[in-house]
Amino acid sequence: EEGATVGILASELGFKGTEMIMHLMKLGVMASINQRLDYETLQAISNQFGFEAVRKLTLEEQILQDEPDDATNLLSRSPVITIMGHVDHGKTSLLDAIRQSNVMDTEAGQITQHIGAYHVELESGSVVFLDTPGHAAFTAMRARGAQVTDIVVLVVAADDGVMPQTVEALNHAKAAGVPILVVLNKMDVESARPDHVKRQLAEYDLVPEEWGGQTIFVEISAKERIGIEELLEMLLLEAELLELSANPNKPARGTVAEAKLDKGRGPVATVLVQNGTLRVGDVFVAGRYNGKVRAMINDRGHHVKNAPPSTPVEVLGFTGVPEAGDQFFVVGSERDAKALSEFRQAQHRATQLGPQSRVSLEELFQQI
Ligand code: GDP
Ligand code: MG
């Protein structure tokens, strides 16, 4: 944080340096002439003499300024879902079942592209799935301040019940303030005991609606492809209650869901657009890197020219490989984009220098 020194403050306010040091001492601040003062102290001492301290915006703030959205500009957007649950309870099978039912229903035979996320079209709306199941991805993103998930689908095998990672997952979702929809999977198995699992989950405040609670439970078999449609409908219903909205008529903001270095294409990242619309040619910053959107490819493998809110797209045109959870911003000029990424790279190098850097790295993530 760049604050003025005691010496500068003194000359601005028309005092001698020693007088300024005395005034500061009366406020309980012991400072030498060349010491920088924090904003609160500058404000307090300026006010005392009838001045107003104006904080200079940081580079981040100048470049990433975002006007709050006017309600009249907001349109509803699709929910973004993360699937969590204990190992072997059927997360991957469920994602496969959802993807396949959708591909077969809407675009016979077409192969979906693996881009780390995909959307499912229904008659009554669409739903976006982040297809990196498990809470590792969820926590990694949350640790970087990214909030991308609107609803967590908690998969519990009806024959196995609540297990350690079930509890971990529901705790993560609760800590993030994300609503949970429970899927009881493996209902085709003889030993499935859905009521037993409901009782177990009720102890964690996930009480089914039929018992007077607020949590939606859907019984499925990912293997037999039973209950998938109902699950999707329930997700839309839950999403409706959340009244999710975004403003498509402004520069895009989003989060990197996945990124890699592709041999032929260079750095590529799946970006989930969360607000605004991303367009080919847009200049952006994501984490420590900047770039210009060279091409965008959707989850069906098609090149697209623009991506509205709640759209996952693979983006080409990064100067380096960003990290999952990095926030993605379209900025006004290439000069700004470059300045900001250089600034962040310098910060990153500084935090890599010593063991004390751990703390500042976290602070850095909170700022961004
Ligand atoms: P994950 O670790 O949560 O991703 O679980 P997987 O999707 O890999 O599933 C673990 C095992 O359970 C696999 O052998 C699946 O075939 C099986 N499985 C998943 N869903 C079902 C289901 O609905 N019924 C039955 N009988 N087996 C299932
Ligand atoms: Mg799996």
Side-chain angles (χ1 to χ4, degrees), residues 9 13 15 20 27 39-54:
L9 178 66
L13 295 179
F15 290 108
M20 200 73 254
L27 280 179
Y39 177 66
E40 280 68 35
T41 308
L42 286 169
Q43 183 75 281
I45 201 103
S46 303
N47 287 348
Q48 197 174 337
F49 297 103
F51 292 92
E52 188 68 32
V54 178

Side-chain angles (χ1 to χ4, degrees), residues 106-223:
T106 60
E107 304 178 35
Q110 193 179 336
I111 294 160
T112 48
Q113 179 106 335
H114 175 86
I115 67 167
Y118 60 89
H119 84 281
V120 171
E121 296 278 357
L122 299 157
E123 259 163 44
S124 40
S126 73
V127 185
V128 177
F129 288 89
L130 293 178
D131 73 357
T132 39
H135 34 240
F138 186 82
T139 30
M141 287 214 202
R142 275 237 306 143
R144 332 192 105 223
Q147 178 76 283
V148 291
T149 303
D150 297 307
I151 303 169
V152 162
V153 164
L154 181 65
V155 177
V156 189
D159 59 341
D160 206 19
V162 171
M163 297 299 274
Q165 284 169 286
T166 314
V167 177
E168 238 177 72
L170 68 86
N171 284 334
H172 282 310
K174 281 183 182 174
V178 179
I180 298 168
L181 186 149
V182 176
V183 159
L184 299 180
N185 188 31
K186 307 201 186 184
M187 286 298 291
D188 59 293
V189 175
E190 191 104 29
S191 55
R193 291 192 296 159
D195 279 345
H196 171 69
V197 184
K198 284 178 190 168
R199 273 194 297 279
Q200 288 183 317
L201 286 168
E203 285 175 33
Y204 296 92
D205 291 326
L206 297 176
V207 182
E209 288 178 314
E210 77 244 37
W211 295 0
Q214 311 234 294
T215 306
I216 298 178
F217 279 65
V218 185
E219 299 180 5
I220 69 158
S221 165
K223 192 177 163 197

Side-chain angles (χ1 to χ4, degrees), residues 81-102:
I81 316 293
T82 299
I83 296 182
M84 301 214 268
H86 194 72
V87 65
D88 282 347
H89 279 199
K91 299 178 293 294
T92 302
S93 304
L94 175 57
L95 276 165
D96 288 348
I98 291 167
R99 197 203 308 253
Q100 281 189 24
S101 69
N102 191 237

